[in-house]
Amino acid sequence: MRVLIALLLVFTVSYGKNLKLKDTPPELSNYYPPKSEKMEFLELMHTLSVSMTGVVVNVREKDWENAKKWAERLQRNYLRIGEMVGKWDKLLKKKEMEAVVKAVKEKNPSAVRMNLQTVGKSCVQCHKNYKLSAKVKFHSPDFTGMKLEDPVSGMKYSIEDYMKAMTDDMKRLKVYSIDGKKDRARRAGFNFIKRFEGLTQMCGECHTGKKSEDVYFGIDVEKRVTALREAVVNVDVIRIKRNLNWLSENNCGKCHNVHETPYLLREKFGRKR
């Protein structure tokens, strides 16, 4: 029975180093937002994982009645994969799945192990190919089409254009302050601060809790923005650099680490799900 438990671990652990970024079949999007809020396919995966555990632990304990219940549930839901996503139907090990149920009914643990191993390998292979891309496409925020009102120009900007404008302001502030061009440095600095504070339009759509507010736009951030504003007025190069670095590391960097990587990965699949 140790072999069965070992197989269960193999089927359920993550194979991070072997994950690929292969685009998912179009049909899969039918079971995730925005087409469906029920997350039916994810729920199916959880059901399969629990069912496989039900088979393994009950066979180990020689509780054949419950093992049969879980094996039949596993088979029923395993076949649903092909019904929901036609492309994956041909990849299913249907004969082996049927053999698992038969072996449980016959109380044959070695046959259960052999066939469950084949079924489990089909799950592992699919996860290697599609797990990462599914997470990127269906479990990360979609900023497609989002517009922000630019507090400097008054125009509606895409996320990309808004970020570029704000970043350009920051770089110009650094350049002009070092070059001693005080009026231009002030203009760039005030524009940066306006656009930085304007990010609450976007972040507030999802980060509605007080805790998120405190982390991204709380008292510490307010103090740094105030200090930056004073440094910009006086074109104090050292204080400008110090406060920009703090905002970059403690505010911008946190958002980018969470959102930028999956956003860039989504670009691999195009903007439409």
Side-chain angles (χ1 to χ4, degrees):
M1 278 315 112
R2 289 180 181 177
V3 178
L4 273 176
I5 298 301
L7 287 175
L8 181 61
L9 291 173
V10 168
F11 301 153
T12 55
V13 297
S14 173
Y15 285 80
K17 64 180 180 180
N18 294 318
L19 286 174
K20 299 178 182 179
L21 198 60
K22 192 172 182 179
D23 200 359
T24 57
E27 308 101 286
L28 190 62
S29 65
N30 293 328
Y31 310 107
Y32 288 95
K35 292 185 178 179
S36 173
E37 298 295 330
K38 296 179 180 180
M39 309 282 275
E40 296 98 330
F41 200 84
L42 180 62
E43 183 64 29
L44 176 62
M45 293 297 102
H46 291 163
T47 299
L48 286 170
S49 180
V50 172
S51 298
M52 186 170 286
T53 300
V55 174
V56 170
V57 297
N58 280 293
V59 169
R60 182 186 62 180
E61 296 169 4
K62 293 183 168 43
D63 185 347
W64 295 105
E65 188 60 33
N66 277 315
K68 174 176 173 291
K69 175 187 70 181
W70 286 109
E72 290 174 343
R73 185 174 297 182
L74 176 63
Q75 180 186 34
R76 182 169 63 252
N77 287 291
Y78 182 73
L79 296 178
R80 284 184 61 208
I81 295 173
E83 296 169 2
M84 295 173 77
V85 184
K87 181 179 179 179
W88 289 343
D89 186 65
K90 61 184 178 182
L91 303 177
L92 299 178
K93 301 300 181 182
K94 298 179 183 179
K95 291 182 180 179
E96 288 81 1
M97 187 65 256
E98 180 64 37
V100 169
V101 177
K102 182 173 183 291
V104 169
K105 290 178 178 177
E106 294 175 351
K107 302 181 181 179
N108 185 340
S110 61
V112 172
R113 181 177 65 248
M114 180 180 66
N115 289 288
L116 196 60
Q117 181 178 27
T118 302
V119 172
K121 282 182 177 179
S122 71
C123 300
V124 169
Q125 188 58 47
C126 191
H127 289 172
K128 284 181 180 179
N129 287 333
Y130 298 107
K131 186 174 183 178
L132 179 55
S133 53
K135 282 186 174 294
V136 168
K137 291 178 73 173
F138 305 122
H139 298 279
S140 61
D142 185 1
F143 301 108
T144 303
M146 181 176 285
K147 297 285 185 180
L148 295 179
E149 183 176 338
D150 179 37
V152 176
S153 68
M155 298 173 62
K156 291 285 187 180
Y157 280 9
S158 66
I159 297 296
E160 294 92 338
D161 289 341
Y162 192 97
M163 290 295 181
K164 184 179 186 307
M166 185 174 64
T167 303
D168 286 346
D169 287 333
M170 179 186 67
K171 290 185 287 188
R172 279 194 289 264
L173 169 59
K174 291 180 178 180
V175 170
Y176 289 145
S177 62
I178 291 171
D179 290 348
K181 298 176 181 178
K182 294 187 176 182
D183 288 342
R184 294 184 181 183
R186 291 188 186 103
R187 187 181 307 116
F190 293 143
N191 286 347
F192 169 78
I193 292 170
K194 286 179 183 178
R195 286 175 167 138
F196 178 83
E197 292 179 329
L199 284 173
T200 55
Q201 303 171 65
M202 175 177 66
C203 302
E205 290 289 322
C206 297
H207 297 287
T208 56
K210 182 72 166 58
K211 191 171 184 179
S212 296
E213 214 174 273
D214 290 342
V215 170
Y216 294 102
F217 295 100
I219 188 67
D220 289 337
V221 176
E222 288 180 7
K223 287 180 179 179
R224 289 292 175 169
V225 171
T226 298
L228 176 61
R229 186 177 284 109
E230 293 172 355
V232 168
V233 169
N234 298 307
V235 193
D236 185 329
V237 176
I238 294 176
R239 291 181 65 212
I240 286 172
K241 180 180 178 181
R242 182 188 305 145
N243 288 290
L244 281 177
N245 286 347
W246 190 94
L247 290 172
S248 177
E249 293 172 8
N250 294 277
N251 191 282
C252 303
K254 288 178 180 177
C255 293
H256 289 177
N257 289 340
V258 172
H259 295 303
E260 188 177 34
T261 300
Y263 175 79
L264 292 174
L265 287 171
R266 285 175 70 100
E267 295 295 293
K268 175 181 174 67
F269 307 113
R271 293 191 172 278
K272 293 182 179 180
R273 287 181 176 174

